[in-house]
Amino acid sequence: MKITIRRSDLDRITEHARAESPDEACGLIAGRDDADGTRIIEKVYILTNTDHTNEHFTIDPREQLAAVKDMRANGLSPLGNWHSHPETPSRPSDEDKRLANDSRASYLILSLEKEDPVLNAFHIEGEPGDRTVRKEELIITEE
Amino acid sequence: MKITVAGETKEVADGLTVQGLIELENVETPQYVTVSVNEEFIDANSFETHILSEGDEVEFLYFMGGGATDRAKEEGNAVYE
Ligand SMILES: [Zn+2]
């Protein structure tokens, strides 16, 4: 599956994730699925990691609720979430996989391990403990 | 009575509980779901006893979280591809 994100949104979450580092930063993504199956991220929400650590993230449920309502008001569909890995590569950890309960979601992971940030998108399917991770084709658009 | 579920108005039976609505809506993996009624979060222990009222606005939110920990790393042999 292809998924697109605007360069400006990527820059915004990178800036935020760097400011939060070494804590993990997180948020939600919303948009639409195009007729040809391409997933288009129209809006990126930067939300609070209530765990405030570099070991774990939990999206603040109150902010999640507000974001879901905002998506609905703007005719956007929830597409998944994003979080940062301040010190590790851009791929789901065991804990990320265990907690990835939505097989339709796209999970974006922004790694700040190297000087240049690395963003990847994943689909995570199957039962907890036996997840299949598939990397999606991420396209950064310049508009 | 009429309630709103995830932005959609629905007619449901009087006396419906949060648990009853979860079953009615076929909510997937309900163990990972947080429920809010009129923007108040309902404790999972109260799903069976919380009775919904006319005009209630209900939202189902999936827990979203993760962690940096790899089991391999915890055991002292981190392997990154
Ligand atoms: Zn992670």
Side-chain angles (χ1 to χ4, degrees):
Chain A
M1 189 193 286
K2 286 183 192 169
I3 180 162
T4 73
I5 185 169
R6 284 189 202 102
R7 167 86 54 198
S8 55
D9 284 327
L10 173 57
D11 289 347
R12 206 160 56 88
I13 62 171
T14 303
E15 194 181 328
H16 172 75
R18 280 190 171 136
E20 292 293 305
S21 179
D23 290 0
E24 290 194 10
C26 57
L28 296 176
I29 53 172
R32 60 194 163 86
D33 286 310
D34 226 358
D36 72 352
T38 304
R39 207 154 237 216
I40 297 162
I41 300 174
E42 304 265 21
K43 191 161 181 178
V44 175
Y45 297 83
I46 292 175
L47 305 178
T48 304
N49 172 11
T50 57
D51 292 340
H52 295 292
T53 74
N54 60 348
E55 287 288 313
H56 213 273
F57 80 98
T58 300
I59 294 182
D60 184 329
R62 201 157 283 286
E63 292 181 7
Q64 190 185 349
L65 178 62
V68 165
K69 289 190 166 184
D70 182 81
M71 289 172 202
R72 204 176 290 141
N74 288 293
L76 303 174
S77 302
L79 298 180
N81 67 33
W82 69 270
H83 74 282
S84 68
H85 280 181
E87 291 145 3
T88 53
S90 172
R91 62 172 186 82
S93 67
D94 284 345
E95 187 73 348
D96 289 339
K97 282 187 254 183
R98 191 175 70 78
L99 294 170
N101 294 305
D102 188 349
S103 60
R104 293 156 303 180
S106 295
Y107 293 94
L108 268 56
I109 299 178
L110 177 71
S111 170
L112 304 175
E113 185 191 27
K114 306 260 168 64
E115 196 173 320
D116 288 326
V118 178
L119 183 71
N120 284 308
F122 302 91
H123 241 73
I124 303 174
E125 289 164 19
E127 295 304 309
D130 186 27
R131 302 279 203 210
T132 308
V133 177
R134 279 190 297 120
K135 200 162 146 180
E136 300 181 321
E137 187 186 338
L138 184 75
I139 300 160
I140 298 163
T141 59
E142 299 296 337
E143 44 155 332
Chain B
M1 63 173 176
K2 280 195 170 66
I3 60 169
T4 307
V5 182
E8 273 180 52
T9 306
K10 303 200 167 184
E11 182 71 39
V12 296
D14 286 358
L16 186 70
T17 61
V18 169
Q19 181 61 34
L21 183 65
I22 287 172
E23 286 161 21
L24 200 65
E25 292 283 308
N26 280 320
V27 172
E28 278 182 62
T29 54
Q31 66 272 34
Y32 301 117
V33 166
T34 307
V35 180
S36 74
V37 177
N38 305 329
E39 308 222 336
E40 289 296 324
F41 290 99
I42 307 296
D43 192 282
N45 296 320
S46 310
F47 285 180
E48 304 261 5
T49 51
H50 189 105
I51 296 168
L52 297 165
S53 308
E54 170 84 25
D56 276 353
E57 287 183 22
V58 185
E59 298 279 350
F60 297 113
L61 297 176
Y62 280 90
F63 170 82
M64 290 214 183
T69 319
D70 270 309
R71 247 163 258 134
K73 195 175 170 186
E74 278 178 347
E75 288 156 16
N77 53 352
V79 184
Y80 291 120
E81 65 237 24

